[in-house]
Amino acid sequence: MSASPSKNTVRVGVIGTGRIGRIHTTNLMRRIEGATVAAVADPFVDNAREWLDPLGVPEIHKDYKAVLGNPEVDAVYVCSSTDTHAQIVEEAAAAGKHIFCEKPIDLDVAKVRGALEKVERAGVTMMVGFNRRFDHNYAALQAAVAAGEVGQVHLVKITSRDPQPPPIDYVKVSGGLFLDMTIHDFDMARFLSGSEVTAVSAAGTVLVSNEIGAAGDIDTAVITLWFENGAIGVIDNSRQAVYGYDQRAEVFGSKGMVRTENDTETRVIRTTAEGPRSDKPLWFFLERYAEAYARESEAFVRALREGTTPPTTGADGLAPMLIGGAARKSLEEKRVVTIAEVS
Amino acid sequence: MSASPSKNTVRVGVIGTGRIGRIHTTNLMRRIEGATVAAVADPFVDNAREWLDPLGVPEIHKDYKAVLGNPEVDAVYVCSSTDTHAQIVEEAAAAGKHIFCEKPIDLDVAKVRGALEKVERAGVTMMVGFNRRFDHNYAALQAAVAAGEVGQVHLVKITSRDPQPPPIDYVKVSGGLFLDMTIHDFDMARFLSGSEVTAVSAAGTVLVSNEIGAAGDIDTAVITLWFENGAIGVIDNSRQAVYGYDQRAEVFGSKGMVRTENDTETRVIRTTAEGPRSDKPLWFFLERYAEAYARESEAFVRALREGTTPPTTGADGLAPMLIGGAARKSLEEKRVVTIAEVS
Amino acid sequence: MSASPSKNTVRVGVIGTGRIGRIHTTNLMRRIEGATVAAVADPFVDNAREWLDPLGVPEIHKDYKAVLGNPEVDAVYVCSSTDTHAQIVEEAAAAGKHIFCEKPIDLDVAKVRGALEKVERAGVTMMVGFNRRFDHNYAALQAAVAAGEVGQVHLVKITSRDPQPPPIDYVKVSGGLFLDMTIHDFDMARFLSGSEVTAVSAAGTVLVSNEIGAAGDIDTAVITLWFENGAIGVIDNSRQAVYGYDQRAEVFGSKGMVRTENDTETRVIRTTAEGPRSDKPLWFFLERYAEAYARESEAFVRALREGTTPPTTGADGLAPMLIGGAARKSLEEKRVVTIAEVS
Amino acid sequence: MSASPSKNTVRVGVIGTGRIGRIHTTNLMRRIEGATVAAVADPFVDNAREWLDPLGVPEIHKDYKAVLGNPEVDAVYVCSSTDTHAQIVEEAAAAGKHIFCEKPIDLDVAKVRGALEKVERAGVTMMVGFNRRFDHNYAALQAAVAAGEVGQVHLVKITSRDPQPPPIDYVKVSGGLFLDMTIHDFDMARFLSGSEVTAVSAAGTVLVSNEIGAAGDIDTAVITLWFENGAIGVIDNSRQAVYGYDQRAEVFGSKGMVRTENDTETRVIRTTAEGPRSDKPLWFFLERYAEAYARESEAFVRALREGTTPPTTGADGLAPMLIGGAARKSLEEKRVVTIAEVS
């Protein structure tokens, strides 16, 4: 593997060596068959030396342009800060690199559309990182729905609660709860229902942190979705579940229901005079979705090697942004907003 | 008990001997300490002879006025068809009888208000039958919330799905999904949150039965609620869950979450080559809420004997009707509707 | 019912008005169709007046002979102290009464055999009270096994732990753990396996209470059983599970496994920063087997009314005693003991 | 890591490239910090080329002596067939290599003792591979017991059932159920109880496969254990659970109980008209203990790097063999056999 990439190996350049860049670099070097990291780049790459050096990545740069300029690099992972995604995606497309881009592509729909257009024109493959689709639980739900186990889909319910709010400085540039956090759930709603969202109604409020409210954002929300196939969806969000990352979903239909509980560290039950106690959900996304990140990269690498369309495309990156825009408009105008209105 | 009611025994007249009347009559004769059924009345009481005769109720009438005219009767249970509730409640109040009335008091808010006014003027005690409050699971959730176990309430989630739709003739006179079925969930939302609903947004559609759609009703719905205390609620309904009566709830707050799964016949797990299988939820309300009906009557009888306010009053009968009205308006106008608008 | 027993009603005399006598009397008066209590007797019946009087039992005696002498009485429930069972059973048989006898019939096998012989000669119907067979969970396990759901039975596992040890004075006359407590599990083993026990090996020790050890008894045990059908069984007992009455079982076979968890008061899960917590098992047998006692009496009454053999007979009362005897012998001699050796 | 082993890196030679050798080699090359595989050896190593080649192990031999002779090798993993373990262990010790040896060291106690003696004399570190101790569930149970969560240990219960019997040719040389399969459970019993086994009583029979019976072995067993600390243990085994690898344990004590359910692929619940169905246990040891194997190697490598005693030693390899010997004797003589008798 990493030792001697064969001709068929996908040589990746990772742009951004923060938390997510680290996950992808490590997975690509250690776990993903048929891929290797040929180069990484980050202005602050020196902060990453501790975990990066033992991995033996051949090239380490401060400037991502060095990665894009490397003819050995087949594909790039765009893991830099959100405000740089669109620009890098466009440059990578122009350089003929395939692209794996972390969500969101940009907070501005017009910029997203611009970037996707350039990707399409360049004819490179692009995948947007909706890691949760690769979670064993959600993937099994989707497979069950697709196999007809619940019959016609009637209701899709998604619970997504973070264990703690992000730093307020992050909140301020995050694009707001709907584009930063719920965007994953909008994608999940499309994934599980197998259908497009046509309209949205949102309720949102500030119950977790006044600081978040002062920043003009909300921290608690319930969003109702109308799907093209007639089903109704509902998402509930909180920025703070004291018991850990709460990631559950349920699909109900004419033939039954499939749902998933949270993953836990163990299956141990501790029963004392106070009663039975089981494990909390895994703490946060790094723990819950560790495997999902690996499977996500496997899917991208496989698509590149087999010349197929990856499971999530640029269009899949745009769709939840539109839903998020409609949700924000609904929150402001206290009414159902159609996706058509914001497209 | 039934053998020799003491002076302190509450003598009940049960009006209506259908399914619900039977439950109450049987509970009052067999299980409830301090109460006995002194008389029952139903135009079709002959259809009830099989279960009624062995109970040994002393008086059996066709006309409920005979019950109201009996000076021995302390309190009446109004279990007749919905369109007769308001009239009987008013007459019972005039006759100085305490009243237990099945929900809804009437489908017309003005008539409900009229009846409640007469009850208040008569100074009799009135309880409206929201049996689910007396379910062991929901009662434990409410107690946990009231005890502060979840801290400040942020989200209240209620799932309520019937195993099968009612006969279409019933649907036509039912007042619609919101007043017939969701009304229980509106009450549950007030009960669990410990707060009043101030606004509603509803999504509803026809996915179970075209017949229901043709009757102008819906069979699948998601309703978002805004509470006075700042929390957000969400209810999902279906007229048909093929796996049985799905009655779950979850309250999430600043300190944690309490939720309840469905009751089942047994705790048996059957594991074959196909995997582990456990029991379905109890089939319908008669099974799930059998105990709750008894506890409900215990609460009414206790309130009468102790001269206290019963746990659900006439006002509790009105509040969910207003929420239901707002939900219907929201469905039509595709916007958030405040309770104030419909009051 | 109780108000006016018809000709076809089984008129019961309850002998013994302690905890168990109260359960049966109450069930027979309030819940069991086709039966009524015509008389009760207990030397200390005055202690039972508080619960007994409201039930309206027509005759109340101090001497059980008055019950046996009452020609109106069809059947007796023997709920007195264990050392009086055999004598009363014999007299009841002689008086032509059908007999429901609480376990054990006696601690002495010869006396049990003597009593059963007299019952047989008298031609009356006898049922021994193994209430757990009528528990919804165990009954479902047995039905599944009998229906072939697990295929050929390979392993039968029973966990039976009390929430607290009985008073030491009771322990001293109880016949020891195997005859007092495990006897229920021996019966359950026969019930679930559908087969007879042929040999036993027992491990037992004193870990809960030195007082129990000083009384020559044990409080913790593991007993292995060999069944006629080739299966192996294992029972584990403790006199003290601090979390409540632990009553579980598992049957494993060629096609799978069925098992049951404990019953709980609710299905509520409380999740705080410490993790999810669910209900403890119901506290003790009065709570766990409340329904089972009623179903047990229903089965006895049905057998009498239909002239069929009750589900547990006198022979079913003897069999677990022999297993218990073999277990005690095995404990002493540290070897496998066959039932044949102690029969 | 593998790319450039630093001075402090443990250089491993893996002897045997079957199923277990592959797991260890892959973990050591890809996942274990501070270790690398310097050489592998197996007479049939050509059969392993497909998975071995991409790992980039520098030296590949047919003869294990080449590994032992390599001065670069710090430690060996003995993953060859059981009958070669003792010999290789002795030679490795003589060559001054630290040793990780798969269980059992040998089927003959005298040979095990001989090998352990030579290891001790050589002063090298030895760890015996009881992978289950490193399973997240069992490790959590043990930690809870060690932390006093259950108080004084009273009962230890272990369920261990394979999804399917091994090939009959393997059964014939396996040493029998107790030494081949139950040996893991004997180790688990010592691990969970924190105490030594002093006596054994075994029940065993042939219910799964006549072929196994014809080979003189059993396929179904229940084994009772007496511990030095006064607790009682019980293990149940089957060679065939049609629903998959059933690996559960429960420790009960004066303050409560800890137990673990099986791991599953997902946390999905599928509810149809037939009721709720959840995942089967992971199929077999490769699936259930994949993580445990990695953690086991991490523990060995850490012990070597830190110069500490590994969590399982040669003595831990011997102890369960003696218990197994006592179990076999108990089965034959139908009595309790002490470990002292077979030591």
Side-chain angles (χ1 to χ4, degrees), chain A residues 136-137 257 264-265 267, chain D residues 136-137 257 264-265 267 271:
Chain A
H136 56 156
N137 295 311
M257 164 174 71
T264 53
E265 178 57 30
R267 291 293 179 106
Chain D
H136 56 156
N137 295 311
M257 165 174 71
T264 53
E265 178 58 30
R267 291 293 178 106
T271 306

Side-chain angles (χ1 to χ4, degrees), chain C residues 15-262:
Chain C
I15 296 169
T17 55
R19 216 156 42 167
I20 289 290
R22 176 180 181 171
I23 291 170
H24 290 310
T25 305
T26 307
N27 281 337
L28 289 163
M29 288 300 281
R30 293 253 177 96
R31 299 189 51 177
I32 314 300
E33 303 281 338
T36 191
V37 179
V40 301
D42 194 307
F44 303 103
V45 75
D46 288 340
N47 297 337
R49 285 289 180 177
E50 196 177 327
W51 61 263
L52 193 52
D53 285 349
L55 289 176
V57 174
E59 287 185 23
I60 294 179
H61 303 284
K62 299 219 166 179
D63 188 350
Y64 71 87
K65 287 177 197 292
V67 172
L68 297 184
N70 181 343
E72 294 278 290
V73 167
D74 301 312
V76 293
Y77 272 59
V78 183
C79 309
S80 49
S81 65
T82 295
D83 58 331
T84 67
H85 286 183
Q87 176 69 20
I88 297 175
V89 164
E90 295 189 6
E91 291 182 34
K97 309 299 187 197
H98 302 299
I99 300 162
F100 178 96
C101 183
E102 278 301 325
K103 69 90 214 170
I105 302 170
D106 196 273
L107 295 177
D108 181 73
V109 169
K111 285 179 77 174
V112 173
R113 286 211 164 97
L116 295 185
E117 220 164 87
K118 281 178 181 142
V119 167
E120 201 176 354
R121 228 176 292 152
V124 296
T125 294
M126 179 170 181
M127 176 162 165
V128 173
F130 283 114
N131 56 303
R132 295 185 196 174
R133 291 193 180 209
F134 302 91
D135 173 67
H136 56 153
N137 295 311
Y138 290 129
L141 286 194
Q142 192 274 340
V145 173
E149 283 188 38
V150 302
Q152 187 193 356
V153 176
H154 291 184
L155 294 167
V156 176
K157 296 178 64 180
I158 296 167
T159 288
S160 182
R161 302 172 190 155
D162 285 353
Q164 58 193 11
I168 192 66
D169 285 344
Y170 174 85
V171 169
K172 285 174 183 167
V173 300
S174 69
L177 187 87
F178 295 145
L179 288 189
D180 179 56
M181 183 173 165
T182 326
I183 195 168
H184 278 292
D185 308 308
F186 294 140
D187 179 65
M188 187 53 59
R190 296 175 67 237
F191 179 58
L192 293 180
S193 67
S195 182
E196 292 297 333
V197 171
T198 58
V200 184
S201 173
T205 185
V206 179
L207 294 168
V208 169
S209 155
N210 289 332
E211 224 178 14
I212 290 176
D217 202 357
I218 54 174
D219 54 34
T220 304
V222 169
I223 306 106
T224 304
L225 306 172
W226 284 256
F227 294 98
E228 213 164 74
N229 65 6
I232 305 174
V234 63
I235 296 163
D236 71 87
N237 287 151
S238 170
R239 281 289 194 186
Q240 182 165 53
V242 295
Y243 50 80
Y245 199 39
D246 197 348
Q247 299 279 295
R248 290 174 285 152
E250 174 177 323
V251 184
F252 171 81
S254 58
K255 289 187 180 170
M257 165 175 70
V258 289
R259 58 175 177 140
T260 182
E261 292 292 322
N262 286 298

Side-chain angles (χ1 to χ4, degrees), chain D residues 92-114:
Chain D
K97 308 300 188 199
H98 302 300
I99 300 161
F100 178 97
C101 183
E102 278 301 326
K103 69 91 214 168
I105 302 170
D106 197 273
L107 294 177
D108 181 74
V109 168
K111 286 179 77 174
V112 173
R113 285 214 164 96

Side-chain angles (χ1 to χ4, degrees), chain B residues 76-337:
Chain B
V76 293
Y77 272 59
V78 184
C79 308
S80 49
S81 65
T82 294
D83 58 330
T84 67
H85 286 184
Q87 176 68 20
I88 296 176
V89 164
E90 294 189 7
E91 291 182 35
K97 308 299 187 197
H98 302 300
I99 300 161
F100 178 96
C101 182
E102 277 301 325
K103 69 91 214 169
I105 303 171
D106 196 274
L107 294 176
D108 182 75
V109 168
K111 284 179 77 175
V112 173
R113 285 213 164 97
L116 294 185
E117 220 163 89
K118 278 175 185 146
V119 167
E120 201 178 354
R121 228 174 293 152
V124 297
T125 294
M126 179 170 182
M127 175 162 165
V128 173
F130 283 114
N131 56 303
R132 295 185 194 173
R133 291 191 180 210
F134 302 91
D135 173 67
H136 56 155
N137 295 309
Y138 290 128
L141 286 193
Q142 192 275 337
V145 172
E149 283 188 38
V150 303
Q152 188 193 356
V153 176
H154 291 183
L155 294 167
V156 176
K157 295 177 65 181
I158 297 167
T159 289
S160 181
R161 301 171 191 156
D162 285 353
Q164 58 192 11
I168 192 66
D169 285 343
Y170 175 85
V171 169
K172 286 173 183 166
V173 299
S174 69
L177 187 87
F178 295 144
L179 288 189
D180 179 56
M181 183 173 165
T182 326
I183 194 166
H184 278 292
D185 307 309
F186 294 141
D187 179 65
M188 187 53 60
R190 295 175 67 238
F191 179 59
L192 293 180
S193 68
S195 182
E196 292 298 332
V197 172
T198 58
V200 184
S201 173
T205 185
V206 179
L207 293 167
V208 170
S209 154
N210 289 331
E211 224 179 15
I212 290 176
D217 201 357
I218 54 174
D219 54 35
T220 304
V222 169
I223 306 105
T224 304
L225 306 172
W226 283 255
F227 293 98
E228 214 165 75
N229 65 7
I232 305 174
V234 62
I235 296 163
D236 71 85
N237 287 152
S238 170
R239 281 290 195 187
Q240 182 165 55
V242 295
Y243 50 81
Y245 199 39
D246 196 347
Q247 299 279 294
R248 291 174 283 153
E250 173 177 324
V251 184
F252 170 81
S254 57
K255 290 187 178 170
M257 164 174 71
V258 290
R259 58 175 176 140
T260 182
E261 292 292 322
N262 285 298
D263 281 345
T264 53
E265 178 57 30
T266 74
R267 291 294 180 104
V268 169
I269 302 160
R270 296 147 197 273
T271 306
T272 64
E274 274 71 46
R277 196 156 51 79
S278 51
D279 279 16
K280 285 189 280 190
L282 294 176
W283 177 245
F284 212 168
F285 66 99
L286 292 179
E287 291 82 15
R288 164 70 184 258
Y289 295 121
E291 281 301 307
Y293 282 114
R295 295 184 192 188
E296 179 183 60
S297 272
E298 279 167 10
F300 180 58
V301 168
R302 191 165 45 242
L304 291 188
R305 292 176 65 155
E306 299 178 356
T308 54
T309 305
T312 52
T313 63
D316 291 313
L318 177 60
M321 290 194 58
L322 298 178
I323 306 173
R328 194 162 43 188
K329 196 174 178 70
S330 170
L331 188 67
E332 284 158 10
E333 303 183 4
K334 295 181 184 300
R335 64 175 182 89
V336 179
V337 174

Side-chain angles (χ1 to χ4, degrees), chain A:
Chain A
M1 267 209 7
S2 59
S4 55
S6 77
K7 257 205 157 151
N8 195 23
T9 298
V10 174
R11 285 147 309 180
V12 171
V14 176
I15 296 168
T17 55
R19 217 157 39 168
I20 287 291
R22 177 180 180 171
I23 290 171
H24 290 308
T25 305
T26 307
N27 282 336
L28 289 163
M29 288 302 281
R30 293 252 177 97
R31 300 189 49 175
I32 314 300
E33 302 282 338
T36 190
V37 178
V40 302
D42 194 307
F44 304 102
V45 75
D46 289 340
N47 297 337
R49 285 290 179 176
E50 197 176 326
W51 61 263
L52 193 51
D53 285 349
L55 289 175
V57 174
E59 288 186 23
I60 294 177
H61 303 285
K62 299 219 166 179
D63 188 349
Y64 72 86
K65 287 178 198 292
V67 173
L68 297 183
N70 182 341
E72 294 280 287
V73 167
D74 301 314
V76 293
Y77 273 58
V78 184
C79 310
S80 49
S81 65
T82 295
D83 58 330
T84 68
H85 285 183
Q87 176 69 20
I88 297 175
V89 164
E90 294 189 6
E91 290 182 36
K97 308 302 188 197
H98 302 300
I99 300 161
F100 178 98
C101 183
E102 278 301 326
K103 69 92 216 170
I105 302 172
D106 195 273
L107 294 177
D108 182 75
V109 169
K111 285 179 77 174
V112 173
R113 286 213 163 96
L116 294 184
E117 220 164 87
K118 278 173 185 148
V119 168
E120 200 177 356
R121 229 175 291 152
V124 297
T125 295
M126 179 170 181
M127 175 162 165
V128 174
F130 283 114
N131 56 303
R132 296 185 194 173
R133 291 192 180 209
F134 303 91
D135 173 67
H136 56 156
N137 295 311
Y138 291 128
L141 286 193
Q142 191 275 336
V145 172
E149 283 187 38
V150 303
Q152 188 194 355
V153 176
H154 291 183
L155 294 168
V156 176
K157 295 177 65 179
I158 296 168
T159 289
S160 181
R161 302 172 191 155
D162 285 353
Q164 57 193 12
I168 192 67
D169 285 344
Y170 175 85
V171 169
K172 286 173 182 166
V173 300
S174 68
L177 186 88
F178 295 144
L179 287 189
D180 179 56
M181 184 172 164
T182 325
I183 194 167
H184 278 291
D185 307 308
F186 294 141
D187 180 65
M188 187 52 60
R190 296 175 67 238
F191 180 58
L192 293 180
S193 68
S195 183
E196 292 298 332
V197 172
T198 59
V200 184
S201 173
T205 185
V206 179
L207 293 168
V208 171
S209 154
N210 289 331
E211 224 178 16
I212 290 176
D217 201 357
I218 55 175
D219 54 34
T220 303
V222 169
I223 306 105
T224 303
L225 306 172
W226 284 256
F227 294 98
E228 214 164 75
N229 65 6
I232 305 175
V234 63
I235 296 163
D236 70 85
N237 286 151
S238 170
R239 280 291 194 186
Q240 182 164 53
V242 295
Y243 51 81
Y245 199 39
D246 196 348
Q247 299 278 294
R248 291 173 285 153
E250 173 176 323
V251 184
F252 170 83
S254 58
K255 289 186 179 170
M257 164 174 71
V258 290
R259 59 175 177 141
T260 182
E261 292 292 321
N262 286 299
D263 280 346
T264 53
E265 178 57 30
T266 74
R267 291 293 179 106
V268 170
I269 302 161
R270 296 147 196 271
T271 306
T272 63
E274 273 72 46
R277 196 157 50 79
S278 52
D279 280 14
K280 284 189 282 191
L282 294 175
W283 177 245
F284 211 168
F285 66 99
L286 293 178
E287 291 82 13
R288 163 71 184 257
Y289 295 122
E291 281 302 306
Y293 283 114
R295 294 183 193 187
E296 178 184 60
S297 272
E298 278 167 10
F300 180 59
V301 168
R302 191 166 45 241
L304 293 187
R305 294 175 66 157
E306 298 177 357
T308 54
T309 305
T312 52
T313 63
D316 291 312
L318 177 59
M321 290 195 57
L322 299 178
I323 305 173
R328 195 162 42 188
K329 197 175 178 68
S330 169
L331 188 67
E332 285 158 10
E333 304 183 4
K334 296 181 183 301
R335 66 175 182 88
V336 179
V337 174
T338 64
I339 301 305
E341 291 183 60
V342 298
S343 296

